[in-house]
Amino acid sequence: MMESKDMEMPFEMDRRKFFRLFGGGLAVVFVFQDVLAFAEGTEAGLVGPVPADQVGAWIHIAEDGTINVFTGKVEVGQNIRTSLSQQVAEELHVPMSSVKMIMGDTDLVPADFGTVGSRSTPQMGTQLRKAAATARQALLEMAAGLWGVDVSSLKTDAGAVSDPQSGKKMSYGQLTKGRQILMPVSEQVAFINAADWKVAGKTMPKVNGRSFITGEHKYVSDMVLPGMLYARVLRPPAYGARLVNADLSAAKSIPGAVVLQEGNFIGVAAPTLETADKAIAAVKPNWETSKQPSGAELFDYLVRNTTNQNKEKAADGLQAIDGAEMKLDATYTVDYIAHVPLEPRAALAQWNDGKLTVWTGTQRPFGVQDHLAAEFNISKEKVRVIVPDTGSGYGGKHSAEAASEAARLARASGKPVKLVWTRKEEFTWAYFRPAGVIKVSSAFNKNGEIKAWRFDNYNSGNAGLDTQYRIARKEIAYHPSRTPLKQGSYRGLASTANVFARESHIADMARMTGMDQLVYRLKNLDDPRLKAVLEAAAKSFGWNSGKRMEGRGYGIACGFEKGGYVATCAEVAIGADRSVEIVRLTAAFECGAIVNPHHLENQILGAIVQGLGGALFERIDFEEGKILNASLSAYRVPRFKDVPGIDIVMINRVDLPSAGAGEAPIVGVAPAIRNAILEASGIGLKTLPLLPSGKLA
Amino acid sequence: MVLTINGKRREVYVSAEISLLNVLRDELGLTGTKYGCGEGACGACTVHIDGKPVHSCITSAGSSVGKAVVTIEGLEKNGVLHPVQEAFLQSDPLQCSYCASGMVMSAISLLNQNSSPSDAEIVAAMNGNICRCGTYPNIIKTIKLAANLLNNK
């Protein structure tokens, strides 16, 4: 009876057998599948993943009731291991404690573009909710079939299906017996409304929180394999330097050191870090340097070296602005800044029978897999990338440098190799938030009406380029440029630059018309979500509560990014010595239905504090292709002493889909502070960072 | 050389000048103590030596001989977390948590000296520890919770 029933059920027999490879330290789950059922296109024994349109690719219910959830997203501190678990638990009607997230392992999880662009909550959250809701439906149908009753009479709760009529009950594990659910993830399946959430929508602690505060969690930099070697890589003295040749003999004579040269790459691997340090120091390279730009000429350089076709048009300026009463032209500049993840880039690589396994801290495990497959000219199936919970990213860990370097040295030495970048390497050879020049011209009337807007960004990027304000005529363009330093993604991408320029300019326009910064914005905005956060921030901050104290000023700014809406208010105090103190900040944020209030607040808080650094003092200094402040004693990041009073207002729109929160809250910080300085001093700063010396000039 | 780590005698065969951080992590497998900067500027490598907080990345292994070194792994007793760890667990302040060990060790040092620190005293004592995720206000709250847990023990 059971056998024949099973034949009709959407399950595959006995597919996954889990076992732990290393025990204790490296808890790595391998999945073996029935070779007979998946004979085509697979390696012997280890079988490829279930197609991503199937429930089984995302969710597997073990016989003991463990809900294994598979996602290509990675945990870098944003706490999606917790929030995605909550969403699955909610839709599947299981306790949080039974959900186990398997994240960022290219052998086990469906392919994924990466943990970027605040996509984890809206895209992966939705996908996993669909898979969970489909799985719940399948379990109901299976129980209905077994008991010969109508599906609609059954209930699911706490990981079990029950029939209130007969009193029958079976756990999910008893129903699946650990087999995979092979049925398509339904696009039409109904979700539980956010207003009715019981597990999602609530503050839940970080699911593996204990392991971090005991030191037990293994970041990649903490991992060890038997026989593992430690690596160091030879770095050029400056950007653009070319290796002419190198004398490796002294390095090679150091006992235990493996020294590898492949073209411009020279690296060493040795049984101890101390020996690796000695060996790399013993390499005698000859470098040929070339003329490189310096920080002093950066902004001219970026404008001069645009690479796009719009360059001519950009030079035209806005034509004929009819009847506007006022006009304002300004140029804003934004320096390179560094992400400074506290865990630098790290990778542990191992070759085994032509297959490469790399544990590495990256936001893009499948991107790193592609990179390594191409670099070593092997198929993607021969490359497994695994990302344990990592010591942060902020958009700065999209690339594969450490993985590639460790893999080269592992291949050369025939042993597992771990490479952890030094802080100096991370500051120099990772990538930066792009520097940029933003030219803004506007024409407007005394009554606040904006007639025309021209906005040209050189090099920062597209994100946040458009304006949310009601403007009759606008010309907005991004002009890519030749960047002197390596640049890439950053929290909020170019929004940190574009919103700074736009919101600074708007404040100056408001000031010229004699209107309040907040009133001016509300007058020219249509988007109700943006207006709502502005009003919420202003209310909590006390924007309208009378006169400012002597020497103090208020500033406000707003923006939206990736479905998140933010408004930030700042109060600053200017001292007699022209030092600027940030007295307090208020941010109002809305990103649809809130999945985990405490962790959302942490995301907003983190973005604000990181935003303070970029607003006030963070800047990469460079000269002739050399980074001059490549250390934490020279490059200043926010510390305890730098943090003002921070007030966070979260608007929970249970009627709207949940969006990500890692990026948008950063964009208002710099312009709000800048606009507060404007009100306090009359000085409209036009550079990021605003106050590298801590004082007004 | 012979070191005393978390109350245990540990013999290691390394040169005296290498950093205590390297010995802890690579020789003894005590990887809870983190590398962050290598110059004592971030606090991720904070351990206690004879009860005082030190940056293990700029402390030589040789100079630690004959002294009592305590790392994050030495705090838990019989499965019970140190009250400061318990406070970090309860209030869930952190994001990526790479700074956690250093924060916990620095917070314990502070609370050993001052059982009820003010916000300003916490800021002054903790300023050498960087949390790049920016959770500082949460950590201040957590240290106040820890003070309560310790004072009510």
Side-chain angles (χ1 to χ4, degrees), chain A residues 244-262:
Chain A
V244 180
N245 54 46
D247 177 359
L248 305 179
S249 55
K252 283 181 171 167
S253 71
I254 292 173
V258 175
V259 183
L260 172 68
Q261 175 167 17
E262 287 177 348

Side-chain angles (χ1 to χ4, degrees), chain A residues 499-516:
Chain A
V499 175
F500 168 68
R502 178 168 63 250
E503 291 296 293
S504 298
H505 205 79
I506 289 286
D508 286 354
M509 289 160 65
R511 188 176 173 87
M512 284 171 71
T513 63
M515 290 174 76
D516 175 84

Side-chain angles (χ1 to χ4, degrees), chain A residues 487-542:
Chain A
Q487 63 184 29
S489 294
Y490 181 84
R491 204 168 194 169
L493 301 172
S495 274
T496 51
N498 288 323
V499 175
F500 168 68
R502 178 168 63 250
E503 291 296 293
S504 298
H505 205 79
I506 289 286
D508 286 354
M509 289 160 65
R511 188 176 173 87
M512 284 171 71
T513 63
M515 290 174 76
D516 175 84
Q517 294 180 35
L518 173 63
V519 172
Y520 192 85
R521 286 183 168 82
L522 291 172
K523 179 183 165 62
N524 286 295
L525 283 173
D526 293 315
D527 188 329
R529 294 175 75 179
L530 205 49
K531 289 168 94 162
V533 287
L534 271 171
E535 282 162 350
K539 185 178 171 206
S540 185
F541 183 80

Side-chain angles (χ1 to χ4, degrees), chain A residues 77 206 213 218-219 221-222 274 338-340 394 423 598-599 602-603 606 618 632-633 638-641, chain B residues 15 18 25-26 31 34-36 39 41 76 85 91-92 95-98 126-127 130 132-134 136 138:
Chain A
K206 193 176 183 75
I213 52 148
K218 300 292 180 198
Y219 296 89
S221 45
D222 302 327
E274 192 187 14
H339 307 79
V340 201
Y394 321 116
R423 180 56 58 194
H598 177 59
H599 287 166
N602 283 359
Q603 279 282 65
E618 284 186 41
L632 272 169
S633 55
R639 290 176 180 268
F640 276 93
K641 279 184 180 161
Chain B
S15 51
I18 86 162
R25 290 178 55 81
D26 298 341
T31 54
K34 305 301 183 198
Y35 165 83
E39 55 169 346
E76 193 178 332
Q85 289 176 304
S91 72
D92 193 15
Q95 292 211 295
C96 85
S97 308
Y98 192 78
M126 299 295 294
N127 205 51
I130 290 172
R132 184 54 166 163
C133 298
Y136 299 117
N138 290 345

Side-chain angles (χ1 to χ4, degrees), chain A residues 32-67:
Chain A
F32 276 70
Q33 294 173 314
D34 178 1
V35 180
L36 291 174
F38 275 93
E40 63 280 359
T42 60
E43 307 298 328
L46 192 59
V47 176
V50 177
D53 64 341
Q54 302 286 305
V55 171
W58 305 95
I59 290 175
H60 169 260
I61 301 173
E63 194 158 7
D64 68 359
T66 301
I67 312 295

